[in-house]
Amino acid sequence: MIFSTVEQPDIVTLKGVLPASLEVFGCSGSVGDPGNGTSCFLLNQDVLIDAGSGVMAMTTAQMSKINHVLLTHTHLDHVSGLPFLVESRQHSQASPLCVYAQQKTIDVLRQHVFNDLIWPDFTAIPSTESPALKFVTIQPHVELMLGGAILIPFAVNHSVPTLGFVIKSSSGVLAISSDTYLTDELSQVLNSMVQVDHLIIESSFSNKDKKLSELTLHLCPSLLATQLNKLDTCRNVWVSYLKEWDRIQTEREIEDLEFNFPLKLLRQGQTIRF
């Protein structure tokens, strides 16, 4: 399914900024549905936001076109596909796959994943002079221009250092919260904009697990409502990262929420154009 954005007044007119599409390869909060992997969003064919198990739904041809990966944080549902992506892509691309993340995220990946024990250290394969993988440190509120779009990272409130992203195209704005608990940063960033066409935000647990949401710094529908009530500029909100073992109940509770903007459930296979 494809969803499009009407033109709005806060469009970007910088040279090189293009219309954008975000294809959902994974937006589940857990395993359990073979048709819906964990966090993986493809922006304009060559930029990946997160590399969870949704990477497994990509063909080798699609993986070969990816030049940049932006990671929100280190949890497995957001990075589990990255080692396989690096390995597959190196056979079709001479240039390294650039992985953008906060320094603490990079440190964890170097120490615990690309350490020649869990997975080969592709920052030195096939050679240190021409590696298959390159890490790039990013910081909140420092813009990047990748894949014909401007990306602005911002901090959210999770159990490990985590970034959300605002993505600006030539015709619209989309934001991804990643995993987060209640946070003023999200509302401050989005409310500073004239209009946000699409927001992808999590609601991992159902309301019966509100205490678990608070303990692990996630949202449930009642907490989601509190967060969304702080927002003034969103036109469409997409709810993601539901846990598959309690999806039906969580979906019912989300459907009971009422706001002055559409509240929709995000699924793998959807494409948002903006």
Side-chain angles (χ1 to χ4, degrees):
M1 299 178 67
I2 297 176
F3 301 86
S4 299
T5 294
V6 297
E7 290 191 9
Q8 53 102 347
D10 199 24
I11 62 173
V12 178
T13 56
L14 291 176
K15 184 178 180 180
V17 178
L18 306 170
S21 66
L22 190 79
E23 187 172 354
V24 182
F25 278 88
C27 60
S28 178
S30 69
V31 296
D33 179 355
N36 197 17
T38 64
S39 188
C40 183
F41 303 95
L42 182 62
L43 174 67
N44 287 357
Q45 303 302 312
D46 73 332
V47 178
L48 205 63
I49 299 174
D50 276 344
S53 67
V55 167
M56 310 307 179
M58 305 185 82
T59 66
T60 53
Q62 289 170 320
M63 287 189 280
S64 71
K65 296 177 182 178
I66 297 171
N67 295 315
H68 312 280
V69 178
L70 293 97
L71 297 179
T72 59
H73 62 296
T74 56
H75 284 164
L76 274 179
D77 53 330
H78 297 257
V79 303
S80 61
L82 180 61
F84 302 103
L85 172 61
V86 176
E87 181 188 36
S88 176
R89 180 189 176 277
Q90 70 164 333
H91 296 286
S92 58
Q93 291 276 12
S95 60
L97 178 68
C98 292
V99 174
Y100 303 76
Q102 295 187 96
Q103 188 60 53
K104 288 184 177 180
T105 299
I106 294 171
D107 292 343
V108 169
L109 291 172
R110 285 185 180 277
Q111 182 177 357
H112 297 289
V113 180
F114 297 99
N115 57 6
D116 288 327
L117 296 172
I118 298 297
W119 204 250
D121 178 10
F122 279 100
T123 63
I125 296 174
S127 69
T128 54
E129 294 78 18
S130 182
L133 171 64
K134 178 181 178 182
F135 288 114
V136 180
T137 303
I138 59 175
Q139 299 177 358
H141 307 294
V142 178
E143 293 185 357
L144 304 96
M145 186 169 173
L146 301 171
I150 294 174
L151 298 103
I152 308 170
F154 60 93
V156 292
N157 183 12
H158 194 36
S159 55
V160 295
T162 303
L163 295 172
F165 289 96
V166 170
I167 308 169
K168 294 184 177 182
S169 75
S170 62
S171 56
V173 177
L174 180 147
I176 299 175
S177 77
S178 188
D179 287 346
T180 188
Y181 184 61
L182 297 174
T183 170
D184 289 334
E185 176 79 1
L186 175 65
S187 53
Q188 290 169 0
V189 168
L190 300 190
N191 289 342
S192 69
M193 299 177 183
V194 174
Q195 185 168 289
V196 177
D197 297 286
H198 301 276
L199 167 64
I200 298 173
I201 190 169
E202 74 130 293
S203 183
S204 294
F205 299 102
S206 66
N207 286 331
K208 77 175 188 299
D209 286 327
K210 183 177 180 180
K211 289 185 178 179
L212 183 59
S213 299
E214 295 169 340
L215 176 66
T216 59
L217 297 182
H218 282 284
L219 297 176
C220 62
S222 63
L223 294 170
L224 174 65
T226 299
Q227 184 68 60
L228 293 180
N229 279 325
K230 300 178 182 180
L231 300 178
D232 302 325
T233 60
C234 291
R235 294 185 64 248
N236 298 278
V237 174
W238 301 87
V239 186
S240 65
Y241 300 161
L242 280 66
K243 302 295 186 183
E244 297 301 334
W245 62 78
D246 206 14
R247 173 175 286 276
I248 293 174
Q249 181 61 32
T250 308
E251 287 184 350
R252 287 172 180 164
E253 293 169 356
I254 291 169
E255 289 168 358
D256 288 339
L257 301 177
E258 294 184 3
F259 295 94
N260 59 357
F261 45 73
L263 193 63
K264 311 167 189 176
L265 294 165
L266 195 66
R267 294 290 295 183
Q268 183 170 316
Q270 293 177 326
T271 298
I272 303 173
R273 302 195 188 281
F274 62 102

